Amino acid sequence: MQTILGANGQIAIELARELQRNHTNDLRLVSRNPRKVNETDSLVSANLLDARQTLDAVKGSRIVYFTAGLPPDTQLWEAQFPTMLKNALDACRAAGASFAYFDNTYMYPQDDRLQTEDTPFAPVGRKGKVRAAMASMVLDEMARGEIPVLIGRAPEFYGPGKTQSFTNALVIEKLQAGKKPRVPVRGDTRRTLIWTPDASRALAALGNAPDAFGQTWHLPCCDDRLTYQEFVAMASEVFGREPAYSVIGKWTLTAAGLFSKPVREIRELLPRYEQDNLFDSTKFKRRFPGFAVTTYRQGLELIRREGMGR
């Protein structure tokens, strides 16, 4: 039995597809209101804030994937995320299950250094500190050695379906609507983006590779590392639009945060858009040399075709 905790998000949905496609037909999806992805999925309704419900949801699992998410609300993250993760780890320890933790890069320094699995944590802002504390909790469990544990870490998303990211919201969805894309802070800094189905496929590969446990892994990304200007030009060509965009300045976003809670919640991420964002996934590519990473043009073409299908 392989179990996904937090089973309704984009990463979890693609993960369920990949696990069923290439690894197992014995799959359990857990969330407050789980929905089947594959016909053979079993569903368990559980609140990960409840230790007993989490324990019952994990019971009988061989591998557990933690992909749970929360809205971008700082107080909610501080109040709920650590408890959800602790309950999941405790449940896996009780069940003797392996634990694969899906992570982001909020705990990394927001500068232009090359980010590797050994990059020290230097979180900026309260959400970054929450993610640093959670990653440290998983690393402590890994060091304890009672159960196999791994971390799969991903940078900013872009992707199909309901992928939620700056790039989808400000560039791709604008082009799909025939509007001019908008770019946060600067258009000339290089970005590392991960195609969401690649992140899910990679997490499934790690979870089913016994030698991957006891380690942190950067999930595989295309190494072209386009600037937003180059990404907009490519996306505009794919969607048949004029390659024009506007930049939303840092001070504009900061001022908007005075009146908009959603904007206020993302302000701590702005420094990462002021310089290159260089995320290295060489380690994963060496371990899984046959893994086909989706290029930016391939990803954009897939999104365009998906839109035409709708």
Side-chain angles (χ1 to χ4, degrees):
M1 171 75 72
Q2 300 197 31
T3 296
I4 301 175
L5 300 180
N8 287 342
Q10 186 71 13
I11 293 297
I13 290 170
E14 295 288 350
L15 176 60
R17 289 175 180 149
E18 177 65 13
L19 289 172
Q20 196 276 338
R21 188 163 47 228
N22 286 314
H23 300 286
T24 182
N25 288 319
D26 194 7
L27 186 59
R28 179 186 293 161
L29 306 185
V30 179
S31 69
R32 293 193 185 200
N33 299 289
R35 298 184 295 271
K36 282 192 176 185
V37 176
N38 312 293
E39 186 58 37
T40 57
D41 295 342
S42 65
L43 304 181
V44 173
S45 177
N47 180 355
L48 298 183
L49 291 169
D50 186 299
R52 171 53 60 182
Q53 290 184 31
T54 306
L55 184 66
D56 291 341
V58 165
K59 195 173 297 181
S61 302
R62 184 172 64 88
I63 304 169
V64 173
Y65 303 85
F66 186 93
T67 62
L70 288 172
D73 181 302
T74 298
Q75 291 184 335
L76 199 64
W77 281 34
E78 291 172 338
Q80 296 189 7
F81 250 151
T83 300
M84 293 163 64
L85 179 58
K86 181 181 184 302
N87 287 344
L89 287 168
D90 289 346
C92 286
R93 204 180 310 112
S98 301
F99 186 79
Y101 176 61
F102 181 74
D103 201 7
N104 65 23
T105 61
Y106 279 35
M107 75 293 296
Y108 282 161
Q110 295 193 25
D111 55 28
D112 63 358
R113 78 184 73 182
L114 183 67
Q115 297 171 353
T116 71
E117 288 85 352
D118 296 323
T119 297
F121 296 171
V124 175
R126 289 164 62 187
K127 283 192 288 296
K129 290 176 181 177
V130 171
R131 295 303 305 206
M134 292 172 69
S136 296
M137 191 188 307
V138 178
L139 290 170
D140 288 345
E141 189 71 43
M142 192 185 295
R144 189 177 292 115
E146 294 182 20
I147 56 172
V149 174
L150 68 82
I151 295 174
R153 186 166 289 141
E156 184 183 335
F157 299 160
Y158 84 108
K162 298 179 181 179
T163 298
Q164 296 182 351
S165 73
F166 268 13
T167 301
N168 267 60
L170 297 179
V171 178
I172 294 170
E173 292 171 15
K174 294 290 186 185
L175 287 170
Q176 288 176 314
K179 299 178 181 179
K180 182 189 290 188
R182 308 186 76 186
V183 168
V185 185
R186 291 176 61 170
D188 61 348
T189 54
R190 292 184 291 163
R191 319 305 311 154
T192 307
L193 307 174
I194 192 165
W195 176 248
T196 47
D198 283 359
S200 300
R201 289 194 300 121
L203 191 63
L206 290 169
N208 287 275
D211 64 304
F213 287 87
Q215 302 178 63
T216 296
W217 299 84
H218 277 189
L219 301 178
C221 305
C222 179
D223 287 332
D224 289 347
R225 299 192 181 103
L226 305 176
T227 64
Y228 262 133
Q229 182 177 2
E230 293 167 335
F231 186 87
V232 168
M234 181 184 291
S236 298
E237 180 182 341
V238 168
F239 286 97
R241 310 292 186 191
E242 289 296 319
Y245 67 93
S246 60
V247 174
I248 313 172
K250 178 181 177 181
W251 301 115
T252 300
L253 286 165
T254 300
L258 297 174
F259 309 100
S260 168
K261 189 174 188 297
V263 174
R264 192 159 58 249
E265 288 292 344
I266 64 171
R267 284 187 301 184
E268 70 184 64
L269 301 179
L270 296 182
R272 71 173 59 196
Y273 293 93
E274 294 182 275
Q275 58 263 310
D276 293 343
N277 177 244
L278 307 176
F279 179 91
D280 181 79
S281 52
T282 301
K283 176 181 174 179
F284 181 96
K285 292 167 185 171
R286 285 176 177 163
R287 170 58 183 82
F288 300 93
F291 189 98
V293 177
T294 304
T295 67
Y296 290 119
R297 185 171 292 277
Q298 288 171 336
L300 290 166
E301 286 283 0
L302 287 167
I303 293 172
R304 183 186 65 82
R305 288 179 212 156
E306 178 189 60
M308 291 174 62
R310 287 200 297 265

